[in-house]
Amino acid sequence: MKQYQLMPLPYAAEALEPVISRATIGFHHGKHLAAYVSNLNALLPGTAWEGLTLEETVCQATGGVLNNAGQVLNHELYFGQFAPPRADNMPAGTLAEALVRDFGSVEAFMAEFRQQGLTLFGSGWVWLSADSTGKLVITQEAAAANPIQRGLHPLLTFDVWEHAYYLDYQNRRADHLAALWQIVDWEAVGRRMAGGRQ
Ligand code: MN
């Protein structure tokens, strides 16, 4: 039976500093995500969801399998969308045009996304997704939920579980969210908008 593997990071563990420290990456990827992968592999055998893709599992499973599969998918999208910091890091091309079309401006999109991340109560994720018509939407998802569960195609996500930022920012979630714009790999987000998962 298929065993899920811990995704390799597409950058060095210190590459996102100072926005996300090497220590946070070490715990978040090397401990938290690794535990979700391990839990999923332990829980799946013998269930009705063996043999499904990760996305299908997130849409169909329940209980512990759903929680761990959701966290694996969410974190693969999260860690796959970053690149070393750039102060002038902004989207371009088709992606920028779609953000202007649906939010008024790139800056308005960023302000709304950050606000949704800031006001999400408890542990969860804020997402930018495309709906079935290609319109871009922001949603808050609690715990391990993913927008594919409501028929959306996820493009970008910020993890607002405290384990994502507490070592570096303690309670300052707003500062963490503001800093993340420096490390978003907009080309990766654009590839997702064009239809790919990564
Ligand atoms: Mn996380």
Side-chain angles (χ1 to χ4, degrees):
M1 111 133 237
K2 178 173 77 174
Q3 288 281 300
Y4 286 99
Q5 305 292 326
L6 177 63
M7 69 171 279
L9 288 172
Y11 36 75
E14 67 278 11
L16 307 182
E17 291 186 340
V19 177
I20 300 176
S21 69
R22 180 190 184 101
T24 290
I25 290 287
F27 280 101
H28 198 182
H29 175 266
K31 303 292 184 188
H32 288 277
L33 176 53
Y36 296 127
V37 171
S38 173
N39 292 342
L40 181 58
N41 285 329
L43 291 168
L44 257 182
T47 70
W49 310 296
E50 261 187 295
L52 299 183
T53 66
L54 183 57
E55 286 83 354
E56 288 168 340
T57 306
V58 169
C59 289
Q60 298 178 32
T62 59
V65 171
L66 172 60
N67 290 336
N68 286 283
Q71 286 293 71
V72 172
L73 177 59
N74 292 359
H75 285 94
E76 288 186 356
L77 290 165
Y78 175 81
F79 287 116
Q81 66 181 15
F82 293 134
R86 284 177 27 194
D88 62 346
N89 188 36
M90 292 288 275
T94 309
L95 175 60
E97 289 167 13
L99 290 169
V100 171
R101 179 194 67 207
D102 294 330
F103 298 99
S105 68
V106 171
E107 291 76 12
F109 155 71
M110 288 176 162
E112 178 62 19
F113 196 84
R114 183 178 173 217
Q115 185 64 18
Q116 293 291 323
L118 194 54
T119 58
L120 197 161
F121 186 75
S123 296
W125 303 71
V126 58
W127 295 85
L128 174 71
S129 302
D131 73 10
S132 59
T133 70
K135 182 182 192 309
L136 302 186
V137 295
I138 297 171
T139 62
Q140 295 176 328
E141 307 290 347
N146 185 292
I148 62 170
Q149 295 164 318
R150 40 170 118 200
L152 299 171
H153 178 65
L155 305 178
L156 171 72
T157 189
F158 287 177
D159 183 348
V160 297
W161 285 58
E162 284 186 343
H163 67 223
Y165 60 87
Y166 210 84
L167 282 180
D168 299 333
Y169 299 83
Q170 293 79 50
N171 63 318
R172 293 175 287 113
R173 185 192 285 189
D175 293 346
H176 172 64
L177 295 176
L180 284 176
W181 297 119
Q182 298 173 47
I183 59 168
V184 172
D185 180 350
W186 290 111
E187 291 186 6
V189 177
R191 287 194 294 275
R192 290 172 182 170
M193 194 175 74
R197 177 174 157 191
Q198 301 296 336

